[in-house]
Amino acid sequence: MKSTSALLLASTMLIASPALAAGPNVVVSIKPIHSLVASIMQGVAEPSLIVEGAASPHTYNMKPSNASALQAAKVVFWVGPGLEAFLDKPLDTLTTGAKIVELSEAPGIVKLKFREGGAFEAHDDGDEDHGDEGHGEEGHKHAEGEAKHDHAAAPEAAAGEEHDHGHGDTDLHMWLDPLNAKAMAAEIEKTLVEADPDNAGAYKANLEALNKRLDALDATLKETVAPVKDKPFVVFHDAYQYFEHRYKVRVAGSITVSPEVLPGADRLSQIHAKIRELGATCVFAEPQFEPKLINVVIEGTPAKSGTLDPEAGTLDAGPDLYFLMMEGIGTSLKTCLSSAS
C-alpha cells in the first residue's frame, strides 16, 4: 500500500502536469518523414504511417487500411508526387478537408537536380557548395579539386530507365541531409500548430529538442565518414546525392537509376567493367531490392559489398528511426570502405 506522502506527491504531479488535448489525425507517407513528424508529436499523439515495414515507396500499392487512414486524416505529410506516385490519386479522392503538406516544397529546403542517364558517365553537375550557410539555395558545386561524380549512359538506361524522382528534374531523396530534415521539421511544426493550436507549446518544445538532435547527428556523421570520404563506392540506385553533397563522400555511380527497372545482362557487364576501371572499393545493396545483382557486378573485382538503407526499411517506425537510419548509413560506409583495399 502506498504511503500518504507518495499519494500526495502523485496527486500534485497530476495537478501540475495536466493532460494535453487530444491531437489531430495525422498521416505520413514514408518512414523517414514519419520519424520527424512523430518526434514533433511526442506526448500529443502518434501519426499513422502508410509505407510500413520493408516496403518501398517506389513500388508500393495502397491497402484498404491506408485508404481509411487518409479518409480520417486532418493533416497528411508526404515528400511529393515524384517519390510517392501511388498517393497521387488517393490524395485527390480520399482526403476530404485534410491539410496536405508537400515537404519537398518546405521553405529552406536545398534541392538537387535528378541525375539522368545512369551510372559512370563523367559529367559536371553544376553543383554549388553545400555548407551550413545558404542552405536554402538550390544547387551545389564541388569544392575546388574535389572529384566529380561519374555516371554511365548505358543503352538500357536510356531505353528502359526513365524515372522521375521529383518535380521535373528535382531529386526527392532530400531527407538524407539533416539540414533538409530541419527545414522539413520547421514546416511540420508550423502545420501542426495551425491545425492543433491547443498543443502548440508541446509542438514547439519538441521541435527545439529535435533540432538539437539533428545538429548533433550532423556533427557525428561528419566525423564518421571523414576517414573514408575520398574512397569511391557504387550504390544500388541513385538515391544518395543529398548525403553525398553534405558529407563530401565519393559516389562513383549507381547500378540503376530507377529501382523499379532492373538492369539487364549488358548493363551489368558494363558496370562490372567500370568498377574495375574506377577502382570502386565497395558496392552497396539496399534491403528492399534484389541483392544478387551486387554479387554479379563485384565478382572477379576487389570490391566488397555492403548494405545501405535510405528508406529505413529494416527499422521500426518511431521518433528514433531517422537517427538510426542516418547513423546506419554513415557506419555502413565507414565499415565497408575502411576494410576495402
Side-chain angles (χ1 to χ4, degrees), residues 223-233 281-282 284 304-305 330-341:
E223 182 178 351
T224 298
V225 302
V228 297
K229 66 185 182 72
D230 294 324
K231 292 190 175 184
F233 60 95
T281 54
C282 286
F284 290 95
K304 296 181 178 293
S305 64
T331 300
S332 293
L333 288 174
K334 182 178 181 180
T335 300
C336 187
L337 295 172
S338 295
S339 64
S341 57

Side-chain angles (χ1 to χ4, degrees), residues 37-276:
V37 177
S39 293
I40 296 172
M41 295 187 72
Q42 281 192 100
V44 178
E46 293 185 10
S48 299
L49 172 65
I50 295 179
V51 183
E52 298 180 311
S56 169
H58 299 290
T59 56
Y60 191 74
N61 292 313
M62 286 275 292
K63 300 177 181 178
S65 58
N66 301 146
S68 298
L70 288 174
Q71 288 175 328
K74 186 172 182 179
V75 181
V76 178
F77 293 105
W78 69 324
V79 179
L83 187 83
E84 308 103 316
F86 69 89
L87 275 177
D88 285 355
K89 291 183 179 178
L91 287 179
D92 288 336
T93 60
L94 296 176
T95 54
T96 55
K99 172 74 172 179
I100 300 171
V101 181
E102 193 173 316
L103 289 173
S104 61
E105 298 301 317
I109 287 279
V110 164
K111 296 180 181 181
L112 299 176
K113 292 182 178 180
F114 177 58
R115 297 189 287 208
E116 301 285 352
F120 305 114
E121 186 67 24
H123 68 281
D124 187 345
D125 295 319
D127 303 324
E128 295 177 12
D129 222 1
H130 190 25
D132 292 347
E133 297 182 4
H135 192 265
E137 298 177 4
E138 184 168 340
H140 302 263
K141 181 169 63 180
H142 298 285
E144 186 176 351
E146 184 179 350
K148 299 295 182 184
H149 307 287
D150 299 322
H151 301 271
E156 290 180 60
E161 293 202 17
E162 295 180 2
H163 185 61
D164 182 10
H165 280 204
H167 300 303
D169 60 357
T170 300
D171 183 343
L172 290 187
H173 296 88
M174 49 188 61
W175 64 86
L176 292 176
D177 178 343
L179 298 192
N180 274 348
K182 289 182 71 173
M184 291 180 177
E187 186 69 7
I188 292 165
E189 186 264 353
K190 176 185 174 184
T191 302
L192 291 173
V193 168
E194 291 174 352
D196 181 26
D198 289 344
N199 289 309
Y203 298 138
K204 181 179 180 180
N206 287 341
L207 176 62
E208 290 175 355
L210 176 58
N211 282 336
K212 290 179 181 178
R213 289 191 72 186
L214 289 170
D215 287 339
L217 171 68
D218 185 43
T220 296
L221 288 172
K222 286 179 182 177
E223 182 178 351
T224 298
V225 302
V228 297
K229 66 185 182 72
D230 294 324
K231 292 190 175 184
F233 60 95
V234 173
V235 295
F236 180 77
H237 86 290
D238 192 16
Y240 302 90
Q241 65 168 325
Y242 287 95
F243 190 99
E244 173 186 346
H245 282 252
R246 180 65 189 154
Y247 302 110
K248 309 302 181 188
V249 294
R250 190 180 169 196
V251 177
S254 59
I255 291 177
T256 179
V257 175
S258 165
E260 302 96 317
V261 182
L262 297 181
D266 290 344
R267 175 72 178 274
L268 291 176
S269 177
Q270 182 190 48
I271 293 169
H272 181 274
K274 284 293 183 178
I275 289 173
R276 281 182 168 277

Side-chain angles (χ1 to χ4, degrees), residues 301-312:
T301 77
K304 296 181 178 293
S305 64
T307 301
L308 300 176
D309 192 4
E311 294 160 5

Side-chain angles (χ1 to χ4, degrees), residues 276-327:
R276 281 182 168 277
E277 177 184 334
L278 291 171
T281 54
C282 286
V283 180
F284 290 95
E286 293 177 20
Q288 297 94 334
F289 302 107
E290 181 55 68
K292 292 181 181 178
L293 293 176
I294 305 301
N295 295 328
V296 170
V297 297
I298 67 173
E299 185 176 1
T301 77
K304 296 181 178 293
S305 64
T307 301
L308 300 176
D309 192 4
E311 294 160 5
T314 61
L315 299 174
D316 293 332
D320 292 331
L321 174 140
Y322 182 82
F323 299 89
L324 295 173
M325 175 193 70
M326 294 294 287
E327 289 168 358

